[in-house]
Amino acid sequence: MSILITGGTVVTTEGTMEADVLIEGEQIAAVFTPDASSEVVVDEVIDATDMYVIPGGIDGHTHMEMPFGGTFSVDTFETGTKAAAWGGTTTIIDFAVQPKGSTLLATLDKWHEKADGNCAIDYGFHMIVSDVNDVTLKEMDTCVAAGVTSFKMFMAYPGVFYATDGEILLAMQQARRTGATIMMHAENGIAIDQLVAQAIAAGRTDPVYHGLTRPPELEGEATNRAIALAKVAECPLYIVHLSAAHALEAVAEARDHGQNVFAETCPQYLYLSMDDLARPNFEGAKFVCSPPLRTPEHSAALWRGLRTNDLSVVSTDHCPFCFKEQKELGRGDFAKIPNGIPGVEHRMDLLHQGVVAGEITLSRWVEICSTTPARMFGLYPRKGTIAAGADADIVIYNPTARQTLSVATHHMNVDYSAYEGMEITGKVAVTISRGRVIIADGEFRGSAGHGNFLSRDLNQYLI
Ligand SMILES: [Zn+2]
C-alpha cells in the first residue's frame, strides 16, 4: 500500500515547508518538493491542501485500566488508544503499575496482557516502582533490556506508591548503571497527608480542599529534593506533570547548571485552574488530579517554561474516572475522590490553541507534542518526525476548522469532559498510523490490535 499526501504544509521542528509525503508500507519513503512528486504512482492520494502535515502525537503519560483507590480508570487500551487516534496521537506510553509485593517482571507481563492485541496505535511502557528491594533493583536492568527504559517513583501517596528518599536514591543509582531515566511524581506526600487530615477533621471536605491541601510549595520542595538526589546518584531525572512555578524554578536552575533534568506539564495545568476545583455541587471532583490545578499565575509560568524549554514535553496524564460512582466515592471526603482527568484525545488540539494565541510557534507545538517525547523516550527517529525512513505516523491537521469539546462528541470512555463547551480552532482531518489511515472523513477506520509494542532505547538527550 502506498499513499501520497499532496498539497500540505509539512511542519517539523525545523520549520514549515510546502511538500508532498510519500508513504510506502508502514514507513515514509520520501518527502518531495511539490512538483517532484508528479511522476509518482501510488494506491491512494490524500489532498492536504490548506492543512498541516505533522508527525503523529506522542503522549508520554497515560494510565489505561489503572487501579486506583479501589477502582480502575475507565479507558481500556482499546478505547483509550482509539480516542487518542481521534485527537491526532499515534503513540502512547502507559505506566505499568507494580503492586506492592509483586515483581517488576510480573507487572510487565500483566501490562503486555492488557495491551497486546487491543491497541489502535503503537504503545510503550514506563514502569512504576512501588517496592524497592534487591529483587526489584535487579529487575530494573531486565526491564531496560526489554525496552522499558524509564521508571516512575512517587514522593506522594504514603502507604500506596510512596518511596522514601533512601529508596529513591537506590533506584536512581541502579538506573544510572544502565542509563535509564527516573521519572518523579514530586509532591511532599508526608506533609500533604497531615494537611489533608487537618482539613477533613475540620469538616472541610469539598473537592476544592484537595487543591488547598497540596500547596505549590510542597511540589517545589519535593522537586528540589528529587533534583538533589538525582545529582548525588548521577541519574537522569524527568519530573512528570509539573504544575507549580516553584517546581519550574527548581527545574530551570538544575538545567542551567547542566544537570540532566527534564520536565513535562499537562494541558489541564495550562487551561484549567483552582476555580474549576471550586465548582459547586461536587462538580469540582471532575477536576481532582495530583498535583492539583493551580491559580492562573502558575499557568502563565508554565507557558513561559514551554517557550524556554525548561518544560520540554506536554503529556496528558490521561487517567479517566467517571463522575458517577467513581468520582462520587469522594462525596463528603475529598481524599477519597479518585485522582485523574481524562485528556488523551485533546492534547494536540489544546496545545494548538497555544499556537493560535501566540504562546508557542507551530514548530514548537510539534516539538513538545511529538519530537521531544520521541527523543526523550528513545523512539527517535522512528517516531516524532516527517522524514524518509520514519514510521508513517502522520496527522493531517486542519488549522481553521472549529470544534467544541464535549462529552457528547468525545471518544474517551468517560461520562464527562473537563473541557466541556470549550471552543477550539483546529481539528484532526486524517490520522495515519504506520502507513494505515485510521481516522478520516469523521470515521474511525483502524482496528484494535493494529498497534505494536515499542521497545524503547534510552533518553536521547543524555551526553
Ligand atoms: Zn500519572
Side-chain angles (χ1 to χ4, degrees):
M1 183 75 186
S2 56
I3 300 174
L4 185 67
I5 303 169
T6 62
T9 302
V10 172
V11 185
T12 66
T13 56
E14 313 293 313
T16 62
M17 61 177 167
E18 304 309 309
D20 295 351
V21 180
L22 176 65
I23 298 169
E24 276 174 4
E26 299 196 340
Q27 293 182 323
I28 297 171
V31 181
F32 296 109
T33 54
D35 296 337
S37 70
S38 55
E39 305 286 297
V40 177
V41 179
V42 289
D43 299 314
E44 186 181 352
V45 173
I46 300 176
D47 180 7
T49 302
D50 297 330
M51 308 233 192
Y52 300 144
V53 179
I54 61 172
I58 298 174
D59 190 341
H61 191 153
T62 70
H63 299 283
M64 308 300 175
E65 305 175 44
M66 192 195 78
F68 189 95
T71 188
F72 284 83
S73 63
V74 288
D75 265 315
T76 62
F77 278 90
E78 179 173 344
T79 64
T81 55
K82 284 181 180 170
W86 276 101
T89 287
T90 52
T91 298
I92 61 162
I93 309 176
D94 200 82
F95 285 87
V97 187
Q98 180 202 16
K100 278 214 189 290
S102 175
T103 66
L104 299 187
L105 297 182
T107 302
L108 189 55
D109 283 349
K110 199 169 166 191
W111 248 256
H112 275 301
E113 252 170 61
K114 288 190 198 206
D116 292 359
N118 294 321
C119 293
I121 57 173
D122 289 350
Y123 60 95
F125 297 132
H126 311 285
M127 177 63 67
I128 289 178
V129 182
S130 306
D131 259 352
V132 175
N133 55 48
D134 290 346
V135 174
T136 52
L137 287 171
K138 284 206 187 74
E139 282 183 320
M140 285 172 66
D141 297 358
T142 315
C143 287
V144 172
V148 177
T149 55
S150 36
F151 300 88
K152 184 178 176 188
M153 304 188 79
F154 290 77
M155 301 169 115
Y157 304 127
V160 189
F161 296 127
Y162 175 82
T164 65
D165 291 351
E167 289 166 340
I168 289 167
L169 185 76
L170 288 176
M172 286 176 164
Q173 288 172 333
Q174 189 74 29
R176 193 216 165 200
R177 294 189 184 115
T178 53
T181 296
I182 293 291
M183 310 172 85
M184 191 62 70
H185 180 134
E187 282 187 296
N188 184 329
I190 300 287
I192 285 168
D193 271 13
Q194 296 302 327
L195 297 176
V196 170
Q198 288 167 358
I200 298 288
R204 295 191 286 267
T205 62
D206 287 342
V208 70
Y209 293 103
H210 170 79
L212 296 172
T213 54
R214 308 181 84 92
E217 288 78 4
L218 295 183
E219 185 184 339
E221 183 279 323
T223 303
N224 270 301
R225 188 155 34 100
I227 288 168
L229 292 167
K231 177 150 199 199
V232 170
E234 297 177 49
C235 165
L237 175 69
Y238 179 95
I239 304 291
V240 292
H241 49 47
L242 188 150
S243 76
H246 306 62
L248 181 58
E249 275 169 31
V251 167
E253 193 189 338
R255 290 174 62 79
D256 287 348
H257 285 89
Q259 200 177 334
N260 280 318
V261 171
F262 310 91
E264 70 179 13
T265 190
C266 310
Q268 53 269 33
Y269 302 119
L270 298 168
Y271 287 103
L272 303 172
S273 77
M274 190 77 99
D275 288 349
D276 294 298
L277 262 180
R279 290 197 203 183
N281 303 321
F282 196 64
E283 228 200 307
K286 294 175 178 175
F287 304 93
V288 166
C289 59
S290 295
L293 303 179
R294 306 284 184 195
T295 51
E297 312 84 79
H298 291 279
S299 305
L302 298 179
W303 280 115
R304 279 198 301 278
L306 285 172
R307 287 195 291 275
T308 60
N309 202 37
D310 289 320
L311 292 171
S312 326
V313 171
V314 175
S315 310
T316 59
D317 196 9
H318 175 72
C319 194
F321 293 101
C322 284
F323 184 68
K324 282 212 168 59
E325 291 176 10
Q326 290 191 306
K327 291 287 189 181
E328 282 182 335
L329 293 168
R331 270 196 201 274
D333 181 352
F334 68 84
K336 294 199 170 75
I337 301 170
N339 284 207
I341 291 185
V344 74
E345 188 169 348
H346 300 317
R347 183 181 62 120
M348 302 299 282
D349 285 330
L350 288 167
L351 270 293
H352 184 251
Q353 301 321 289
V355 179
V356 173
E359 295 279 7
I360 50 173
T361 65
L362 258 184
S363 283
R364 185 65 180 153
W365 175 52
V366 166
E367 192 167 32
I368 59 184
C369 290
S370 179
T371 312
T372 298
R375 290 189 165 127
M376 191 72 71
F377 302 123
L379 294 169
Y380 188 87
R382 183 175 169 191
K383 306 289 190 191
T385 191
I386 304 269
D391 279 358
D393 287 3
I394 297 176
V395 170
I396 300 175
Y397 195 81
N398 181 341
T400 55
R402 303 275 299 166
Q403 57 169 324
T404 304
L405 303 185
S406 172
V407 65
T409 48
H410 76 203
H411 301 85
M412 299 176 286
N413 185 32
V414 61
D415 67 358
Y416 75 96
S417 172
Y419 304 97
E420 188 65 44
M422 183 169 172
E423 293 192 5
I424 297 280
T425 302
K427 192 174 193 222
V428 169
V430 177
T431 303
I432 299 172
S433 165
R434 289 194 345 272
R436 178 166 165 190
V437 173
I438 59 172
I439 300 287
D441 302 324
E443 270 176 24
F444 176 74
R445 296 184 187 166
S447 60
H450 166 78
N452 285 342
F453 172 71
L454 299 168
S455 178
R456 296 185 293 111
D457 295 331
L458 299 175
N459 183 327
Q460 292 163 333
Y461 287 104
L462 310 181
I463 297 157

